[in-house]
Amino acid sequence: MEALHPRIRLLWIASWAIGALVLAVGLAAVDQWFVDVPTAVIVGVVAVAFVIGIAYAVRRYQVWKFELQPDALYLERGVVTFVETAVPFVRVQHVDTQFGPIERVLGLSSVVVYTAGTRNADVRIPGLTPARARDLQDTLRELAVESEADDAV
Amino acid sequence: MNRLHPLSAVTYAIQYGFMWLWVPIVLVLVLGGIVGPVSPAWAPIAAPVGFLAGAAYGIVYYYRFGYRITPDTFDVSSGVIARRSREIPYGRIQNVDVRQGVLQRLLGLAIVSIETAGGGSTEASLNFVSESEANRLQEQIRRRTAEVKDRRRNRNRAATPSDRPDVDAVSSGDGEDSAVEAGTAGDEHVSDPTARNDRETGPTSEDRVVEPRRRRRTRLFDLEARELLLYSFTSFRPAAIAAAMFVFFLATDTVLDLFVMTAQPLGGPSAIGEGSPTSYGVLTVVSAINAILITYLLSVAYTFATYYDFQLGRVDEDFVYERGLLQRYSGSIPVEKVQSVTVTENPLQRLIGYAGLWVETAGYGPESSGGSQSAVPLARRRHIHRFTENLTGVETPQFRSPPPLARRRYLVRYSLVAGLLVAAVFAITQFTALERWYLAAVVFAAVPPAAHLKYVHLGYYVGDDHLVIRRGFWSRRTTVIPYYRIQTVSTRRSIFQRRLGLASLVVDTASSQTFVWTTPTIYDVDLEDARDVNMTSRKRLQSALRERARDDDLGMSADFT
């Protein structure tokens, strides 16, 4: 099983921190216009959110695993709900590599695998180095073409 | 390029006329407030100008809209200023629907919609064409889709000629068809696969083979009056709630008067605003019953009108259906596009021994709810089971239940819900004159039966070629998924499930019904069982695909009665 790049934790912490900041701004707004919220409470809430965020990111990183099995791409993920997904190569419609602004700063990239399904129609593997992402994309594409089925949706 | 029916020009003109009517009015009103010389009083003059401009646009739109049937694609080009031309390959078409409203039926018009799997909406919509043109299009597209399929199959056959002889006899359910295919058409196609491409130019011997086949329409199921009534009275449509609300908002005073009037003989107040707490209580109860009754009747009427004169038939390897009292729908679903089949039963229907059968495709159906079509709205349960077995070839399922631990889980879950409910009632009593919040605790009595009912209706069966999943008490759904239709399989475990060693298995298919119905899921089975089913499904998906590649079996039979 392959783990994600350790730097992904920074990404998750960063996005959680942004959430915590939004929360802080929201609380400040409530304090300003509606009810008095003591500054200590705001700081406390934000600090707690931040700590939870770090713990969550660390745990999430530990849990996130993926693997190319003979017939399918297999992933394990989820802190609260642990999900094991198998995406058979025959079912892959197309494969993308993507990266957002924070990912770009951290030098990371994601691979997104699309299927024709409805619930897990796009499966995202975050936290890959750009080289690994391109490599994985190529592999997946080759495997998908190789195992193409003739039962078009 | 063909044009739409000339009457569409009129409807487009009116439609765009009324749409554009508002542009100059708003413009005049807004500008009138800002710029001096423009006066809001110009609005009556501006409005007709807008209407005329809109009408002109509508007429031009009509002239710029064209569609065409080509050998390989169905082309639509539209747009006045920005042109869009779209080519839809026949092989990708999921279904072709024809819809007729009341007015359109009087005028002999119809709307044709073409659905493919991609995108969130109808791929091409022709409003309006004449009735005969609609039928011609439907038939033509169906025929060409079948041809594309044949061509593809023959190519495959040509690639692996060794498998051919025994395949035809097995794969096609209809002996007559297979004889024709294997005897003449099949060989011809193999010897010259390209000949099919130029069928447009000259009639070849193949035409003779295709012609008689395409006209044969077999009746599979007609919804009889008795079944229609049973279906109307035993099913409930959530849309009726919206309709009831709409009626209420439209005629609030009348409805309130009616409510007061019906409650009066039973001890309700003589008018709103003059009554005692008891009479208000009576009014509330009576009105609630009234509202439920009205909603139910609306639902009955809606179902009746929608499924009036429902017919299901087959033409070649397509299902064709027709239904509707005021608005007439007709559509076709290629059998090979069917993703899964679901049997639905609500408690009432279970009581009288009836059930319904639905087929799910990846396209978007005329009911915006998704690509699920009722194949048989309601019939006796044993008929439905026979239909399902003939349609999918699934063996009679021997359902396995989740471990009793799952029931304990539901017990806890529903207790929490009941607790929340009591808490909410307690909060209400704190802010209103109501007392005795603890009476709400009676809801706890419903918890054990609810948990038990949820538990006993869960079941799954791992068949040789299909996975069968049953769930739900209020609307019990039994979904039959052929392994080769599986897209992804996931094992999910929430923190609570992990504690109990349970897991849920989510089996995703390409049917788009999941926005209304949840993805087929086997809930709360032992982790080992879930993993086991997961691996089995994956293995059988691979072997089923290999088998299909070999013999090109449809896996679904179009002749299921």
Side-chain angles (χ1 to χ4, degrees):
Chain A
M1 296 286 262
E2 194 174 330
L4 304 180
H5 193 282
R7 235 179 295 157
I8 187 70
R9 285 174 294 185
L10 287 178
L11 175 85
W12 286 333
I13 292 170
S15 51
W16 198 285
I18 292 171
L21 273 179
V22 171
L23 186 71
V25 170
L27 283 176
V30 168
D31 176 48
Q32 191 78 35
W33 288 305
F34 303 104
V35 233
D36 262 351
V37 184
T39 319
V41 171
I42 297 181
V43 172
V45 166
V46 171
V48 167
F50 197 67
V51 169
I52 291 174
I54 291 173
Y56 184 76
V58 169
R59 181 74 196 136
R60 196 171 166 194
Y61 169 73
Q62 285 172 349
V63 169
W64 232 113
K65 295 275 182 321
F66 70 95
E67 185 177 47
L68 289 174
Q69 291 182 350
D71 62 325
L73 168 68
Y74 177 79
L75 319 108
E76 288 184 2
R77 64 208 189 280
V79 174
V80 178
T81 300
F82 183 73
V83 187
E84 302 159 27
T85 305
V87 186
F89 298 131
V90 238
R91 293 310 185 206
V92 173
Q93 299 274 334
H94 58 275
V95 189
D96 281 2
T97 50
Q98 297 178 351
F99 47 89
I102 308 179
E103 281 181 304
R104 194 193 295 249
V105 169
L106 292 170
L108 291 175
S109 157
S110 313
V111 169
V112 189
V113 180
Y114 294 88
T115 69
T118 35
R119 176 141 164 180
N120 299 309
D122 47 337
V123 177
R124 172 183 284 265
I125 308 174
L128 300 167
T129 57
R132 176 66 187 133
R134 241 189 328 275
D135 186 38
L136 191 62
Q137 186 187 19
D138 289 345
T139 317
L140 281 171
R141 196 187 50 225
E142 271 159 34
L143 287 167
V145 170
E146 207 172 279
S147 57
E148 188 163 27
D150 192 32
D151 70 321
V153 176
Chain B
M1 280 283 174
N2 299 339
R3 286 227 178 90
L4 300 173
H5 192 276
L7 273 176
S8 337
V10 180
T11 53
Y12 274 127
I14 293 171
Q15 200 182 325
Y16 280 107
F18 278 106
M19 222 147 71
W20 285 31
L21 180 71
W22 298 101
V23 177
I25 293 182
V26 170
L27 216 64
V28 163
L29 290 181
V30 170
L31 283 180
I34 307 164
V35 192
V38 183
S39 155
W42 293 0
I45 308 153
V49 174
F51 183 84
L52 283 180
Y57 181 85
I59 290 165
V60 175
Y61 186 86
Y62 164 76
Y63 278 106
R64 300 279 279 162
F65 190 102
Y67 64 90
R68 181 170 54 190
I69 291 184
T70 71
D72 297 314
T73 55
F74 183 77
D75 301 354
V76 180
S77 52
S78 63
V80 175
I81 297 154
R83 293 283 290 173
R84 185 181 72 179
S85 50
R86 176 173 274 176
E87 296 180 356
I88 308 168
Y90 293 119
R92 291 290 171 211
I93 292 176
Q94 297 276 341
N95 38 28
V96 185
D97 296 305
V98 178
R99 206 167 65 218
Q100 286 182 284
V102 188
L103 193 68
Q104 290 141 29
R105 277 172 81 180
L106 288 176
L107 295 171
L109 299 176
I111 300 174
V112 178
S113 322
I114 293 164
E115 319 279 351
T116 68
S121 63
T122 302
E123 214 65 23
S125 178
L126 311 176
N127 34 342
F128 309 99
V129 292
S130 67
E131 238 168 339
S132 55
E133 173 70 359
N135 291 333
R136 187 187 76 91
L137 282 174
Q138 207 175 18
E139 195 186 277
Q140 285 273 327
I141 293 172
R142 197 157 54 217
R143 187 163 67 91
R144 279 160 205 277
T145 311
E147 275 172 28
V148 168
K149 211 167 57 199
D150 275 359
R151 217 182 295 164
R152 197 160 55 199
R153 201 178 295 177
N154 288 322
R155 245 202 316 272
N156 286 351
R157 243 175 244 164
T160 52
S162 57
D163 285 332
R164 220 180 72 229
D166 56 315
V167 166
D168 280 350
V170 182
S171 68
S172 171
D174 195 328
E176 207 181 325
D177 267 7
S178 55
V180 173
E181 265 179 26
T184 56
D187 287 337
E188 242 170 41
H189 298 167
V190 175
S191 62
D192 187 9
T194 50
R196 292 210 133 225
N197 290 326
D198 357 302
R199 63 156 47 258
E200 280 309 293
T201 49
T204 59
S205 58
E206 288 147 3
D207 274 312
R208 285 204 306 277
V209 180
V210 174
E211 287 296 316
R213 278 182 59 203
R214 91 184 140 100
R215 290 229 179 80
R216 201 167 56 211
R217 180 184 168 132
T218 331
R219 280 265 163 96
L220 293 180
F221 178 80
D222 286 358
L223 192 66
E224 285 161 17
R226 180 188 146 80
E227 289 162 336
L228 174 64
L229 284 176
L230 278 176
Y231 186 52
S232 307
F233 280 101
T234 59
S235 60
F236 182 76
R237 262 151 227 291
I241 297 173
M245 294 287 233
F246 183 68
V247 168
F248 183 75
F249 280 117
L250 222 61
T252 313
D253 290 339
T254 329
V255 173
L256 282 181
D257 283 348
L258 186 84
F259 280 3
V260 170
M261 218 168 65
T262 42
Q264 226 164 11
L266 300 163
S270 51
I272 292 178
E274 31 188 290
S276 58
T278 340
S279 64
Y280 275 133
V282 170
L283 177 68
T284 312
V285 172
V286 172
S287 302
I289 294 170
N290 255 329
I292 291 169
L293 207 66
I294 290 171
T295 314
Y296 175 66
L297 288 177
L298 279 173
S299 155
V300 169
Y302 180 73
T303 312
F304 185 87
T306 314
Y307 286 97
Y308 179 82
D309 193 23
F310 177 94
Q311 295 169 4
L312 181 80
R314 99 175 161 114
V315 177
D316 294 340
E317 276 158 357
D318 291 348
F319 292 122
V320 288
Y321 61 89
E322 258 178 67
R323 59 181 173 78
L325 177 64
L326 299 174
Q327 187 158 24
R328 197 88 185 133
Y329 288 101
S330 84
S332 66
I333 308 166
V335 176
E336 60 153 10
K337 302 285 187 193
V338 173
Q339 302 286 322
S340 59
V341 177
T342 300
V343 176
T344 57
E345 305 153 281
N346 65 27
L348 272 178
Q349 291 166 351
R350 285 203 293 273
L351 204 66
I352 56 171
Y354 277 74
L357 180 68
W358 296 72
V359 295
E360 278 130 55
T361 61
Y364 285 74
E367 292 167 290
S368 51
S369 60
S372 179
Q373 269 309 324
S374 185
V376 176
L378 196 73
R380 288 201 181 279
R381 195 185 300 147
R382 59 166 198 279
H383 290 167
I384 290 286
H385 286 176
R386 205 183 65 222
F387 291 165
T388 316
E389 280 164 26
N390 292 350
L391 175 63
T392 58
V394 70
E395 54 271 46
T396 308
Q398 321 250 291
F399 285 107
R400 285 165 66 189
S401 288
L405 208 55
R407 185 165 37 191
R408 213 185 83 193
R409 214 180 147 222
Y410 305 138
L411 211 59
V412 173
R413 186 191 291 172
Y414 292 144
S415 303
L416 288 176
V417 173
L420 278 178
L421 206 72
V422 173
V425 171
F426 177 72
I428 290 170
T429 53
Q430 295 298 301
F431 295 108
T432 60
L434 295 170
E435 285 168 36
R436 288 183 285 200
W437 57 271
Y438 42 84
L439 286 182
V442 287
V443 292
F444 278 105
V447 168
H452 180 70
L453 284 174
K454 180 168 171 71
Y455 174 72
V456 292
H457 287 287
L458 288 177
Y460 67 99
Y461 170 68
V462 185
D464 291 335
D465 299 313
H466 302 83
L467 196 61
V468 187
I469 302 175
R470 187 183 66 190
R471 66 248 181 252
F473 167 74
W474 291 110
S475 87
R476 187 169 82 178
R477 293 192 299 273
T478 313
T479 305
V480 180
I481 306 165
Y483 289 120
Y484 64 87
R485 287 304 191 194
I486 291 176
Q487 293 283 338
T488 61
V489 272
S490 306
T491 312
R492 297 176 67 89
R493 284 182 291 155
S494 70
I495 32 174
F496 306 110
Q497 283 175 315
R498 259 177 287 173
R499 225 164 46 85
L500 298 173
L502 298 177
S504 298
L505 190 73
V506 183
V507 184
D508 196 20
T509 62
S511 69
S512 45
Q513 183 57 62
T514 36
F515 292 110
V516 189
W517 295 351
T518 47
T519 316
T521 306
I522 304 175
Y523 291 103
D524 297 310
V525 287
D526 281 324
L527 179 59
E528 289 88 77
D529 287 342
R531 288 222 169 109
D532 206 33
V533 178
N534 189 326
M535 277 321 288
T536 313
S537 313
R538 276 171 63 184
K539 270 196 214 112
R540 295 202 175 150
L541 163 68
Q542 298 297 334
S543 53
L545 286 174
R546 270 198 301 277
E547 248 166 63
R548 277 167 65 78
R550 210 163 48 227
D551 63 25
D552 222 315
D553 187 0
L554 279 179
M556 294 268 179
S557 150
D559 186 15
F560 67 85
T561 42

